[in-house]
Amino acid sequence: MVSKIRVAVQVSSSMLLRRFATASTSLPPTIRQLLSSLPPTGQAVEVQLSGWIKSVRRQKNVTFAVINDGSCASGLQAVLKPGATPHNLTNGASVRICGNLVQSMGRGQSYELQVEAVDILGECNPEAYPIQKQALPVEFLRDNAHLRARTDINAAMLRLRDSVLRMLHSYYEAQDFHYVHTPILTSNDCEGGGETFRVSPASSAPPSRQSPDPSAQAEFFSQPAYLTVSSQLHLEALAASLSRVYTLSPCFRAERSQTNRHLAEFWMLEAEWAFINHVGNICDVVEESLKNVLQCRSEHALLWKDGDEAKLKTLEDASRPGIPWTRISYTDAVNELQNYHASSRVGFEFEPAWGRALQSEHERWVSERLVGGPVFVTDYPTSLKPFYMRANDDGQTVACFDLLVPSIGELVGGSLREERSSHLVEAIRRHGLKEEEYGWYVDLRKYGSAPHGGYGLGFERLISWMSGIENVRECIAMPRWAKRMLL
Amino acid sequence: MVSKIRVAVQVSSSMLLRRFATASTSLPPTIRQLLSSLPPTGQAVEVQLSGWIKSVRRQKNVTFAVINDGSCASGLQAVLKPGATPHNLTNGASVRICGNLVQSMGRGQSYELQVEAVDILGECNPEAYPIQKQALPVEFLRDNAHLRARTDINAAMLRLRDSVLRMLHSYYEAQDFHYVHTPILTSNDCEGGGETFRVSPASSAPPSRQSPDPSAQAEFFSQPAYLTVSSQLHLEALAASLSRVYTLSPCFRAERSQTNRHLAEFWMLEAEWAFINHVGNICDVVEESLKNVLQCRSEHALLWKDGDEAKLKTLEDASRPGIPWTRISYTDAVNELQNYHASSRVGFEFEPAWGRALQSEHERWVSERLVGGPVFVTDYPTSLKPFYMRANDDGQTVACFDLLVPSIGELVGGSLREERSSHLVEAIRRHGLKEEEYGWYVDLRKYGSAPHGGYGLGFERLISWMSGIENVRECIAMPRWAKRMLL
């Protein structure tokens, strides 16, 4: 038996090697690889594979079990003779199966596995197993964060993240951007907000105890260290050498508000590049890269449900290459909001006015009602935006944009950066920031300053938009938010 | 003039589009893209490009200037007529140049740019500019971290990081691994060492002040939060669903020792996968992926220097596909070390003995002297390794390895993980760890436990090995170590 299995594995992996030029000789094919490399002739293929049991249906003359190793959404239906079905073949058990992959007579799958032998590698008591077949409450799964990835939806979300990341990496590579790493620990607080986390060595007295020497803990880096809220300033330093750079970095905000689009720890994709003069060119890159990514439909079957049709149609419309996304200035958007507010019986909770921030209700109205899709809102008032954005010639606005999308609100924010050192120094003063803290940043403008700009994209929000999963807490493997950090 | 330039850009970008199927219409070609897509016939191509001046040589009848946008090591030689050479065309200045790319008559480059027009976008005072042409002291560049990427060597290192990351991502994709993100903030301390960083919101009283309510600061997540030292435990939870996962994650150690291979913030590539039974299979994957990556030679010309030949040869030997890397058990390695220690006049500072940790001098001797290349040392004594490694049947060792490489020492560490819940619980107790803190980790073994294993690779150490740059502080854009955190 053992030698037979060994032969079977060799046959199937050499077959796969032809298809996957760089495939390893060390790792056997996954279920996805097996299913995507079967011969078109329909001949049976002897295989060995491993995975977890997703469902079991015992009938009189035959047992059907779905086995999946997480490599794809569908898994594979295994067909067992009742006599050869172990009693502990239950949901959640891990197994190794040998058998023949044959074209299926049943509906719903084109191949099934006729099982020759099955080994239970790890049992799973079906009564005790928290991950049951039926849909489980969101809160229950958050409490079981270590097992949550075993649900079909969460696994599909994780595969979607992987696919989207690869498409983004490919996009930037084709544009000759360099993938760089900017620091997580920083002395700067990019947005000037108070919602940063402070870092100190655990081996010095922890913050909850009173230290005899109050300065002892701050000494590790000779100055206070914070967790980054944005990589942008550091990316600018690198763009001044490599021209085009991007990073995918964890970012941290000690935000106490509980919304479905905020996390204390989240991933941000930030790109920055030199030799660009118009904010519209930044929008071009954002739009092109996202339309590319929106083509990814591999997990749609698991993620989108009956009743989601309208949201899904908006998403699919947005992915069409030929049709440009709407662009509107902040000033025009405020006019539209004011007209609606004056003419509609309902109106907004907050009255829209030029110079005031757009509230969440305003953003949603612009993208969901006015435009019905993604929309770039550009050229916000100077007073609403951070110091580093480039001043427009009108003296009142900056060359920036927010990309608003239905259901989510702000997905991307970007701008030209102020490359004129005198303008920048003035903006730092006007914002009440300490010049000495931004000395290095101003320095970047002293030596061969170049016009440049970039943007940041909230990765979990993108996944939320693309999956229809409403809360970003379900768009990351192990979410952290105020009062919650399991594992 | 303007319309002529516009035409030139259109011609060259449509030419490039044929080569780069997904190339943007929004971004003009970089110098690398231009040079890699020139027609083989040698005909002149009208281009516009932007970058920084790397050197200027003014002669009587002609001025030569090297311009680079950071997209490749070489840059491009521009040839200007003296009358058309602005006085502020100096090292470091940012420029936009229009001209014709023609085959070069000079040595050292195959193409040169005959300049029609040049715009200085940002001046650079050559006297004040800290980044001078000659080699600059390492410490000076560390002090100027924000400008360091502008040196040729540092830019080459950053491009090497980019290339290596892309090759690693491709490797894992071909093996059907999923790229996942594990948390940076965690309540667990994977290795049980004391060198973790503690995190608290900056808006509560900072650790350096005495808080009236000592517990207030710890409350943000309802429990103390630390920066991750390894993603492994979290990866294991995801591998129990997706089978094959990896992550590239920042890791943090509050290490006070000053060595050339330690940083307080570094990047670690960690992979974890299920259905594996032998530590040798993990070594197979490590070896295959690294041999793949070692093929990357694009930046060798800038990074390796006269005198480096021996180190470079070891590196190139290691990359040969046909020749397997040496594997040796810890026990055999200790025997070899003891024999050498007994027979050599010099010997080691620390006497090697079974059951003791290998010191840096031992590791280097094994890889540099005994083997002369990368070597997997396997099956260390249980007492030397963390609780999660799988016990071997001998009752004395665990199924693990360290990959030691010349000049670096430990580059990769990995193991099978203890998938038997009773063994795991016993190991937790034996290591004096709190069972309740690892409840979720033990839980992974309760439901469909599967044999699994993985490894972690210090990314900056890999870059150090591949570049010959001895200190990891020069292998990352903006390094952080004890007492040092600029920007």
Side-chain angles (χ1 to χ4, degrees):
Chain A
M1 184 65 197
V2 168
S3 66
K4 188 178 152 202
I5 293 172
R6 207 167 278 156
V7 170
V9 171
Q10 281 173 357
V11 167
S12 59
S13 68
S14 74
M15 183 185 75
L16 282 161
L17 275 175
R18 284 199 297 276
R19 202 182 156 89
F20 301 99
T22 57
S24 169
T25 49
S26 342
L27 292 169
T30 60
I31 291 177
R32 191 197 65 77
Q33 287 175 325
L34 275 177
L35 292 178
S36 64
S37 64
L38 288 169
T41 53
Q43 74 204 58
V45 179
E46 204 175 351
V47 297
Q48 173 184 302
L49 53 82
S50 302
W52 291 271
I53 299 298
K54 291 289 177 177
S55 70
V56 184
R57 197 152 45 91
R58 288 170 199 266
Q59 298 187 351
K60 196 176 170 191
N61 298 318
V62 66
T63 298
F64 296 105
V66 173
I67 175 175
N68 202 347
D69 59 4
S71 60
C72 55
S74 64
L76 186 59
Q77 178 162 284
V79 184
L80 300 97
K81 289 166 198 137
T85 308
H87 71 281
N88 52 2
L89 187 87
T90 59
N91 270 358
S94 69
V95 297
R96 181 175 51 223
I97 295 184
C98 303
N100 291 294
L101 260 181
V102 298
Q103 282 192 306
S104 172
M105 298 295 120
R107 289 193 302 178
Q109 67 276 329
S110 41
Y111 276 85
E112 63 184 24
L113 183 65
Q114 289 180 339
V115 176
E116 296 282 327
V118 52
D119 284 332
I120 306 290
L121 302 175
E123 296 189 357
C124 184
N125 178 347
E127 263 93 72
Y129 190 34
I131 306 300
Q132 297 290 316
K133 275 292 290 176
Q134 68 272 22
L136 296 161
V138 158
E139 271 302 337
F140 174 82
L141 289 171
R142 288 178 186 166
D143 289 341
N144 287 275
H146 61 302
L147 302 174
R148 193 169 73 155
R150 302 182 183 201
T151 64
D152 289 347
I153 299 277
N154 201 255
M157 180 280 291
L158 292 171
R159 285 191 300 268
L160 178 65
R161 282 181 73 107
D162 168 273
S163 301
V164 170
L165 284 170
R166 291 190 193 281
M167 293 173 88
L168 286 169
H169 280 305
S170 296
Y171 177 83
Y172 290 110
E173 184 178 15
Q175 312 307 328
D176 233 4
F177 276 73
H178 285 93
Y179 177 23
V180 297
H181 290 117
T182 46
I184 312 303
L185 299 175
T186 172
S187 54
N188 274 101
D189 171 358
C190 178
E191 309 252 326
E195 294 170 338
T196 47
F197 286 105
R198 177 87 183 263
V199 174
S200 51
S203 56
S204 59
S208 58
R209 283 185 232 148
Q210 299 192 348
S211 165
D213 173 5
S215 69
Q217 296 168 29
E219 272 178 9
F220 190 86
F221 291 110
S222 304
Q223 61 179 317
Y226 303 94
L227 294 180
T228 186
V229 294
S230 160
S231 305
Q232 180 204 316
L233 305 193
H234 297 108
L235 281 180
E236 287 183 65
L238 301 179
S241 163
L242 298 176
S243 292
R244 300 179 187 175
V245 293
Y246 73 102
T247 192
L248 181 76
S249 180
C251 292
F252 303 86
R253 296 199 187 171
E255 180 139 345
R256 290 180 196 275
S257 64
Q258 305 273 351
T259 81
N260 63 7
R261 48 180 213 151
H262 288 95
L263 293 164
E265 173 181 319
F266 58 100
W267 287 78
M268 188 133 78
L269 195 140
E270 292 178 275
E272 195 76 25
W273 65 103
F275 309 115
I276 187 166
N277 294 294
H278 302 288
V279 74
N281 296 137
I282 308 179
C283 299
D284 292 344
V285 169
V286 170
E287 184 172 336
E288 189 176 55
S289 65
L290 288 181
K291 278 183 171 170
N292 189 27
V293 159
L294 294 182
Q295 305 299 326
C296 178
R297 308 270 157 92
S298 54
E299 303 295 336
H300 271 198
L302 267 174
L303 294 171
W304 292 92
K305 293 174 199 57
D306 292 345
D308 287 341
E309 291 77 10
K311 275 170 83 174
L312 188 53
K313 185 176 180 305
T314 314
L315 187 72
E316 289 176 345
D317 285 348
S319 74
R320 298 228 171 91
I323 304 160
W325 291 355
T326 302
R327 299 180 188 190
I328 183 174
S329 71
Y330 166 88
T331 302
D332 289 344
V334 168
N335 280 338
E336 297 282 354
L337 287 160
Q338 285 177 321
N339 290 343
Y340 176 79
H341 189 66
S343 65
S344 151
R345 277 190 308 174
V346 190
F348 298 109
E349 189 185 344
F350 296 91
E351 193 186 334
W354 200 98
R356 291 193 201 150
L358 297 187
Q359 300 295 320
S360 185
E361 58 173 346
H362 303 147
E363 293 183 342
R364 295 193 62 155
W365 184 85
V366 171
S367 78
E368 290 167 20
R369 304 285 299 280
L370 181 66
V371 172
V375 51
F376 292 99
V377 180
T378 66
D379 303 289
Y380 282 66
T382 310
S383 59
L384 295 178
K385 290 291 182 183
F387 73 97
Y388 49 72
M389 294 191 174
R390 192 180 199 277
N392 283 326
D393 290 342
D394 63 15
Q396 302 203 304
T397 61
V398 285
C400 71
F401 71 90
D402 281 358
L403 173 65
L404 311 178
V405 303
S407 314
I408 307 292
E410 184 189 342
L411 176 65
V412 182
S415 78
L416 295 180
R417 319 307 185 186
E418 188 54 80
E419 90 280 9
R420 299 163 293 187
S421 90
S422 59
H423 285 71
L424 182 63
V425 170
E426 197 196 316
I428 289 172
R429 285 184 199 147
R430 204 174 49 238
H431 280 79
L433 300 168
K434 290 178 195 151
E435 266 182 84
E436 61 274 22
E437 279 187 16
Y438 294 91
W440 70 268
Y441 187 68
V442 175
D443 230 27
L444 299 179
R445 278 73 179 166
K446 280 192 192 152
Y447 311 111
S449 185
H452 66 286
Y455 63 86
L457 176 154
F459 189 68
E460 282 74 27
R461 290 187 185 181
L462 175 60
I463 296 301
S464 172
W465 189 35
M466 289 184 64
S467 66
I469 297 171
E470 286 189 2
N471 198 317
V472 288
R473 292 173 189 172
E474 273 66 62
C475 294
I476 189 169
M478 291 156 190
R480 277 86 178 83
W481 67 92
K483 308 218 181 227
R484 181 61 78 95
M485 182 191 58
L486 297 182
L487 319 188
Chain B
M1 186 62 198
V2 169
S3 66
K4 189 178 152 202
I5 294 171
R6 207 167 278 154
V7 170
V9 171
Q10 280 173 359
V11 168
S12 58
S13 68
S14 75
M15 182 186 74
L16 282 161
L17 275 174
R18 285 199 298 276
R19 201 181 156 91
F20 301 98
T22 57
S24 169
T25 49
S26 343
L27 291 169
T30 61
I31 290 177
R32 192 196 64 77
Q33 287 176 325
L34 275 176
L35 292 177
S36 64
S37 65
L38 288 170
T41 53
Q43 74 203 59
V45 180
E46 205 174 350
V47 296
Q48 173 184 302
L49 53 82
S50 302
W52 290 271
I53 298 299
K54 292 289 177 178
S55 71
V56 183
R57 196 153 45 92
R58 289 169 199 265
Q59 297 188 350
K60 195 176 171 191
N61 298 317
V62 66
T63 299
F64 296 104
V66 172
I67 175 174
N68 202 347
D69 59 4
S71 60
C72 57
S74 64
L76 186 60
Q77 176 161 287
V79 184
L80 300 97
K81 289 167 198 137
T85 307
H87 71 281
N88 51 2
L89 186 87
T90 58
N91 269 359
S94 68
V95 297
R96 181 175 53 222
I97 295 185
C98 303
N100 290 295
L101 261 181
V102 298
Q103 282 192 306
S104 173
M105 298 296 118
R107 289 192 304 178
Q109 66 275 330
S110 40
Y111 276 84
E112 64 185 22
L113 182 65
Q114 290 180 337
V115 176
E116 297 282 326
V118 54
D119 284 331
I120 305 290
L121 301 175
E123 296 190 356
C124 184
N125 179 345
E127 264 91 73
Y129 190 35
I131 306 301
Q132 297 289 318
K133 275 293 290 177
Q134 67 272 26
L136 297 161
V138 158
E139 272 302 336
F140 175 82
L141 290 171
R142 288 177 186 166
D143 289 342
N144 287 275
H146 60 302
L147 302 174
R148 195 170 69 154
R150 301 182 184 201
T151 64
D152 289 347
I153 298 277
N154 200 255
M157 181 280 291
L158 291 171
R159 284 191 299 269
L160 178 65
R161 284 181 72 106
D162 169 273
S163 301
V164 170
L165 284 171
R166 291 188 194 282
M167 292 173 89
L168 286 169
H169 280 304
S170 296
Y171 177 82
Y172 290 110
E173 183 178 15
Q175 311 308 327
D176 232 5
F177 277 74
H178 285 93
Y179 177 24
V180 297
H181 290 117
T182 45
I184 311 304
L185 299 175
T186 172
S187 54
N188 273 100
D189 172 359
C190 178
E191 310 252 326
E195 294 171 338
T196 48
F197 287 106
R198 176 89 183 263
V199 174
S200 51
S203 56
S204 60
S208 57
R209 283 185 232 149
Q210 298 191 349
S211 165
D213 172 7
S215 69
Q217 294 168 31
E219 274 178 8
F220 189 86
F221 291 111
S222 305
Q223 61 180 315
Y226 302 95
L227 293 180
T228 186
V229 295
S230 160
S231 305
Q232 179 205 318
L233 305 194
H234 297 108
L235 281 180
E236 287 185 64
L238 301 179
S241 162
L242 298 176
S243 291
R244 300 179 188 175
V245 294
Y246 73 103
T247 193
L248 180 78
S249 181
C251 293
F252 303 86
R253 296 202 188 170
E255 179 138 345
R256 290 178 196 275
S257 65
Q258 307 272 352
T259 82
N260 63 6
R261 49 179 212 151
H262 287 95
L263 293 164
E265 173 182 319
F266 57 101
W267 288 78
M268 187 133 79
L269 196 140
E270 291 177 276
E272 194 75 26
W273 65 103
F275 309 115
I276 187 165
N277 295 294
H278 303 288
V279 75
N281 295 138
I282 308 180
C283 299
D284 293 342
V285 169
V286 170
E287 184 172 337
E288 189 176 56
S289 65
L290 288 182
K291 278 183 170 169
N292 189 27
V293 160
L294 294 183
Q295 304 300 325
C296 179
R297 309 268 158 94
S298 53
E299 304 294 335
H300 271 200
L302 267 174
L303 294 171
W304 292 92
K305 293 173 200 55
D306 291 345
D308 288 340
E309 290 77 10
K311 276 171 83 175
L312 187 54
K313 183 174 182 306
T314 314
L315 187 72
E316 289 176 345
D317 284 348
S319 74
R320 299 229 170 91
I323 305 158
W325 291 354
T326 302
R327 300 180 188 190
I328 183 175
S329 71
Y330 166 89
T331 301
D332 289 343
V334 168
N335 280 339
E336 297 283 354
L337 287 160
Q338 285 176 322
N339 290 344
Y340 175 80
H341 190 65
S343 65
S344 154
R345 277 193 305 175
V346 190
F348 299 109
E349 188 184 346
F350 297 91
E351 194 186 335
W354 201 98
R356 291 194 202 150
L358 297 186
Q359 300 295 320
S360 185
E361 58 173 344
H362 303 148
E363 294 183 341
R364 294 192 63 154
W365 183 85
V366 171
S367 77
E368 290 167 20
R369 304 287 298 280
L370 181 66
V371 173
V375 51
F376 292 98
V377 180
T378 66
D379 303 289
Y380 283 68
T382 310
S383 59
L384 295 179
K385 290 291 181 182
F387 73 97
Y388 50 71
M389 294 190 174
R390 192 180 198 278
N392 284 326
D393 290 343
D394 63 15
Q396 302 204 304
T397 61
V398 285
C400 71
F401 71 90
D402 281 358
L403 174 65
L404 311 178
V405 304
S407 314
I408 308 291
E410 184 190 342
L411 177 64
V412 183
S415 79
L416 295 180
R417 319 307 185 186
E418 188 53 82
E419 88 281 9
R420 299 162 293 187
S421 90
S422 59
H423 286 70
L424 182 63
V425 169
E426 196 196 317
I428 288 172
R429 285 185 200 145
R430 202 174 50 239
H431 280 79
L433 300 169
K434 291 180 194 149
E435 266 181 85
E436 60 274 21
E437 279 186 17
Y438 294 91
W440 69 268
Y441 186 69
V442 175
D443 229 27
L444 299 178
R445 278 72 178 166
K446 281 192 192 152
Y447 312 111
S449 186
H452 66 285
Y455 62 87
L457 176 154
F459 189 68
E460 283 74 26
R461 291 187 186 181
L462 175 61
I463 295 300
S464 172
W465 189 34
M466 290 184 63
S467 67
I469 298 172
E470 285 189 4
N471 198 315
V472 288
R473 293 174 189 171
E474 274 64 63
C475 295
I476 189 169
M478 291 156 191
R480 276 87 178 81
W481 68 91
K483 309 219 180 225
R484 181 61 79 98
M485 181 190 58
L486 296 182
L487 317 188

